[in-house]
Structures are given as C-alpha cells and as structure tokens.
Amino acid sequence: MEIADAYRKARRNTSIFCGISLAWSAAQFDLKSLNIDAAGRVDISGASISIILVCLVVYTMVQCTIEFMMQPNEIRRWNLAQIDYRITLNLVRISLLTIAAATASRSIETVVGVIVAALAFIFSYFALVSVLMLIIAPLIIYIRSRQGRFSVASYVGTALNWSMFIVVIFYFLIFITIGFSSVENLPFFSLLPPIPKQISTIFFAATAIIITISFLFEWKILKKVFAFEPEYNVIEKKLPDGNIGVKFEKNPNHPDYVAPSPPNETVGKNSD
C-alpha cells in the first residue's frame, strides 16, 4: 500500500501556495496576475492579495485533508503519514500568520518575527501550563481529601485541564488587547501609542485567536483524520457506595486487537 497520488498532489499544491504566501509576506515579489486553468490569466493588481492568498491556502488545505481521509485507514494510521500531514498543517498556520502580519508590513523581518513569536508562544504555553499545574494540583488534592475522596491520577488530570484553560484564556486576552489597541476611540486604549495600520492589527489578532482555537480542538479533529481508535475503551460505572468505578476493556476496532479464543470444550464419551 502507498499514499494516493491525489493526496500527494493536494499536499504539493498546499505547499506551493504556502511558499508563495511566505515569499509575498517577505516582500520578495508582487502578485499582479494569477493563472487559473478555467479562467486563464486573471489580473489581480487591484485586489487584496492577502485575502486571495488566505482563500487559496485554506482551500488547498481543506482539499488536502479530504484527500488524506479518503485513503484506507491503514495508511491514515501510519506514523510517517501523520507526521507529514502535521507538517503541512503547521506550515499552513505559519503562512496564515505571516499573511496577517504582512498586511501591515511586508519584509523578511516580519516573517522571521512571526515565526520566532509563534515558537515563543508555544514554549511559554507549555511552561505556564506546567507551572500552573504544580500550583493547582496540590490544591485540588487537598480539597478532595478533605471531602474524603482520594484519586490522585484523576485530580492531576483535572489540574492539567484547568491549567490549559487558564493559559488559553490568558492568550485570548493578549490577542484581544492587541486588536482593541488599534481602536483609538476607546478611553483606555487611547493612552497607548498610535498604531498606523488599525485594520491590519485587528486582522492579525483575529487570525492569532483562530489559530489558537485550532490548537485547542486539534486532537479531536485529528482523531477523525487519522482514523484513531484507542486500544482500550474506558467504562465508568457508579458503585453502590457512591464512588465511580472504572473498567478498561480492549477495543475491538483497534488495529492490533486480537479476539480472545473461545474456551475449550471437553467432550465426554460414554463407555458401555
């Protein structure tokens, strides 16, 4: 089995448009016309290049995802195929961010700055989540222990979820602040230094929020894209004493599932 040619073509088109977006954001060239098979050469000198590039990148990425999901489940579960898809997905995210930033300033410094800032935000995200989890986990364990409930593993998971939620809300507030900082008629933000490209700032902040949301729901979407099946199904059942019992059963839909052999039956023979 091998990766389908349709997916290879869709991935290549996505990479090409992402490369064009990065090059345009770095002010390496200007787009004045676009060659479309159905319409021929189209003059786009008077159009908004950033909107056109965003539409092309998003469209090709959607097509790439559809073609990936149309492959057999076995291929979709290959680790290398999943890594290849993730690389394309993150390339699209970087391209959208650089396009949003380039509406204010097109330069190599803009592209490099966006990439560095994105890496810094990702690193700070994991750092802040780790610090908050170390603070929240003991607090939750103490509160639950006072209530007579002991389950350290579940409490650590709860602390992790709360830490991620708090950090994401903090990031949202940063992006919203950046967006509103370009609105001069607000009393508080009017005290900040003026920003010449107001629409560009709002556009960049909105793009950053959308990409952050995509990270939050990434695994839920990728589970369907990668045809993921857990090795065990978790079954929760309420016990008579009020506690929750957890049972793990092997998932028959998992690719490595082996059905248990039936019990041996002893056949007795009557002797005369």
Side-chain angles (χ1 to χ4, degrees):
M1 301 183 68
E2 61 180 12
I3 294 177
D5 291 336
Y7 169 68
R8 294 177 185 272
K9 182 179 179 180
R11 180 191 58 188
R12 181 191 62 198
N13 293 337
T14 304
S15 301
I16 290 174
F17 284 119
C18 287
I20 293 174
S21 301
L22 292 173
W24 178 82
S25 302
Q28 297 300 303
F29 67 94
D30 290 320
L31 286 174
K32 296 183 179 179
S33 63
L34 188 64
N35 191 11
I36 302 177
D37 294 338
R41 185 171 294 275
V42 180
D43 183 14
I44 58 174
S45 57
S48 176
I49 306 301
S50 58
I51 295 178
I52 293 176
L53 290 176
V54 167
C55 292
L56 289 174
V57 170
V58 172
Y59 171 76
T60 52
M61 186 62 208
V62 171
Q63 186 182 29
C64 181
T65 302
I66 293 174
E67 294 294 345
F68 186 90
M69 295 181 67
M70 291 178 66
Q71 298 182 110
N73 290 341
E74 183 180 352
I75 295 179
R76 292 162 63 185
R77 290 168 179 156
W78 286 353
N79 291 331
L80 292 179
Q82 294 179 5
I83 292 174
D84 177 81
Y85 180 86
R86 287 178 182 272
I87 291 175
T88 304
L89 176 61
N90 288 309
L91 179 60
V92 168
R93 286 168 172 161
I94 291 295
S95 300
L96 294 178
L97 272 180
T98 54
I99 293 173
T103 55
S105 174
R106 292 176 55 206
S107 64
I108 296 179
E109 290 78 8
T110 299
V111 175
V112 175
V114 168
I115 295 175
V116 172
L119 294 176
F121 266 92
I122 293 174
F123 175 78
S124 62
Y125 171 81
F126 288 107
L128 290 174
V129 168
S130 300
V131 172
L132 280 177
M133 189 176 66
L134 293 177
I135 297 174
I136 297 176
L139 181 62
I140 294 179
I141 293 175
Y142 173 76
I143 294 175
R144 297 303 186 189
S145 63
R146 298 285 294 180
Q147 297 175 349
R149 300 168 61 183
F150 300 93
S151 179
V152 176
S154 62
Y155 299 157
V156 171
T158 303
L160 177 61
N161 293 334
W162 272 106
S163 301
M164 295 170 61
F165 176 76
I166 293 173
V167 174
V168 168
I169 294 298
F170 175 69
Y171 276 12
F172 280 174
L173 292 177
I174 292 177
F175 297 141
I176 292 173
T177 302
I178 293 174
F180 278 114
S181 64
S182 61
V183 183
E184 297 178 352
N185 58 355
L186 292 179
F188 173 75
F189 294 110
S190 61
L191 301 177
L192 299 175
I195 299 177
K197 300 286 186 177
Q198 299 179 8
I199 301 300
S200 301
T201 305
I202 296 175
F203 184 43
F204 178 79
T207 304
I209 291 176
I210 293 173
I211 291 177
T212 303
I213 293 175
S214 73
F215 276 106
L216 290 178
F217 296 95
E218 178 182 82
W219 180 235
K220 290 185 178 180
I221 298 174
L222 292 184
K223 284 171 65 176
K224 296 182 179 181
V225 175
F226 296 157
F228 173 79
E229 288 289 345
E231 185 176 358
Y232 291 91
N233 289 326
V234 181
I235 302 175
E236 295 185 354
K237 183 179 180 181
K238 190 172 183 179
L239 302 177
D241 57 1
N243 292 325
I244 302 297
V246 180
K247 181 181 180 181
F248 296 90
E249 290 186 353
K250 287 190 174 183
N251 182 10
N253 296 323
H254 191 270
D256 296 332
Y257 174 78
V258 178
S261 57
N264 295 328
E265 296 181 359
T266 305
V267 179
K269 294 184 179 178
N270 297 327
S271 56
D272 295 331

